[in-house]
Amino acid sequence: MGTEGSKGTKVFAVTGKVKRSGLVEIPMGKTLRDVIFDIGGGMKTDKEFKAVQMGGPSGGCIPKELIDTVIDYKALGATGAIMGSGGMVVMDESTCMVGMAKFFLDFTAKESCGKCIHCRIGTKRMLEMLDRITKGEGKEGDIELLEELCYSIKDGALCGLGQTAPNPVLTTIKYFRDEYEAHINDKKCPAGECSDLIEYRIIKDKCRGCTLCARNCPVDAISGSVKQPHEIDTAKCIKCGKCYSSCKFDAIVKE
C-alpha cells in the first residue's frame, strides 16, 4: 500500500464543514478529493468547498484548486502543508482565511515553551498583527511584514513547533492574499465572518414585518411595527447574527 516515497496507510481526523466527520484510515496515494467528497460525503452546507487545513495547528491550508493533490509526504509538502498529526479541517466559502490563520497561530503562540526568542516573541507579534487585521486596523506593509516574520521564525526556532508555526499564515497569504488585502485596504471581510468588519441590514422590499428578528435581538437594536419593514440600529447592534439566522424571508443581509 501507498506510494513510492510514502508507504502504508495513514489515519486522519476529518472535521469541519464536511457531512461525515471522524477518524479515517486510508492508503497513502489517495487524493484530498477522495477523502473529502467520497469518504466524507462532501460539504454539509450549500456553500462550495474552499480549502482544507492539513497537519494540525501547524499545518498549512490547501485551496480548492489543489483538491486533487495526492496524499503523501512530498506532495503535501509542495503545497506548504504537512502530514503532521493527521488533522484535516474542511472549510467552505463562509470561512475567513485570515481568521483561520489567527485561530491556529493563537494555539501555537500559547504552546511555545519560550526558550527561543524567535518563537516566543515572533508568534506573539504575528498574532497581534492578525488580530489588528481582522478588526479592520490593518495597514499597508502588514502582509510583507508577516511574511518576513514567518521566515525569520522558521529559520531561528529551535524546535518543530516554532519551525512549523508560521505554516497557516504563509499558506493563507500564498493562496488567499486577496482576502488579506480586502481586510487591510477595504476594511471588509469577504467571507463575512469577522464581526468587526460586517454590518447587518434589512432589505425593506423583502421584510414582511413578522417581528421575528426583533424578538430574537438580545439588545433591542431592531425596531418596526407589525407588517411594516423593520430597521436595524447599527449603533446598538452587537453583530451576534441572531436576526440573520432567524429571518425566514432572506430580508436581512450581511455586508
Side-chain angles (χ1 to χ4, degrees):
M1 287 185 181
T3 65
E4 186 63 31
S6 301
K7 303 294 185 181
T9 64
K10 173 68 178 176
V11 176
F12 288 96
V14 182
T15 186
K17 304 293 179 67
V18 66
K19 286 181 181 176
R20 292 191 293 271
S21 60
L23 294 173
V24 298
E25 183 178 9
I26 60 165
M28 293 286 200
K30 289 281 188 180
T31 66
L32 293 173
R33 186 188 297 275
D34 292 333
V35 177
I36 296 169
F37 286 92
D38 293 341
I39 299 174
M43 309 309 291
K44 69 177 179 181
T45 67
D46 58 355
K47 298 183 183 298
E48 288 188 17
F49 169 75
K50 184 174 186 176
V52 58
Q53 200 266 1
M54 294 282 297
S58 294
C61 294
I62 302 174
K64 63 180 180 182
E65 292 80 12
L66 301 178
I67 185 66
D68 292 308
T69 297
V70 172
I71 299 174
D72 68 17
Y73 289 96
K74 185 176 180 180
L76 287 182
T79 68
I82 58 175
M83 192 76 71
S85 58
M88 190 179 286
V89 183
V90 180
M91 294 165 271
D92 65 16
E93 291 176 316
S94 66
T95 304
C96 172
M97 302 312 294
V98 184
M100 180 60 69
K102 174 187 166 185
F103 174 81
F104 286 114
L105 191 64
D106 179 64
F107 174 85
T108 49
K110 288 175 179 175
E111 288 297 306
S112 173
C113 73
K115 183 176 181 179
C116 57
I117 294 174
H118 290 82
C119 181
R120 182 179 75 243
I121 303 299
T123 53
K124 286 182 180 178
R125 295 294 86 86
M126 281 204 298
L127 184 59
E128 288 169 357
M129 291 178 67
L130 289 171
D131 187 55
R132 282 197 295 101
I133 292 171
T134 56
K135 288 180 178 177
E137 299 170 3
K139 53 189 178 183
E140 188 176 346
D142 276 352
I143 299 175
E144 290 74 19
L145 184 54
L146 276 171
E147 290 178 312
E148 184 180 339
L149 278 169
C150 284
Y151 290 118
S152 295
I153 295 167
K154 273 183 167 291
D155 293 340
L158 298 176
C159 79
L161 185 138
Q163 292 161 8
T164 58
N167 285 339
V169 181
L170 282 173
T171 52
T172 50
I173 290 176
K174 178 180 179 180
Y175 298 117
F176 302 95
R177 193 184 187 95
D178 58 325
E179 288 198 28
Y180 280 84
E181 292 172 344
H183 280 72
I184 294 169
N185 301 328
D186 305 327
K187 309 303 179 188
K188 293 287 185 181
C189 175
E193 195 174 50
C194 297
S195 59
D196 290 291
L197 300 179
I198 61 174
E199 187 175 288
Y200 291 96
R201 181 173 61 85
I202 295 176
I203 302 173
K204 292 187 177 182
D205 292 340
K206 287 188 175 183
C207 181
R208 305 288 183 87
C210 69
T211 75
L212 188 60
C213 60
R215 284 182 277 133
N216 276 278
C217 180
V219 292
D220 296 324
I222 302 176
S223 60
S225 303
V226 177
K227 296 185 179 180
Q228 295 296 321
H230 283 42
E231 289 186 2
I232 298 175
D233 186 340
T234 55
K236 286 185 179 180
C237 180
I238 59 173
K239 302 173 183 178
C240 65
K242 287 187 177 180
C243 61
Y244 180 78
S245 59
S246 64
C247 183
K248 298 178 179 180
F249 305 104
D250 295 325
I252 300 178
V253 292
K254 186 167 54 173
E255 299 177 328

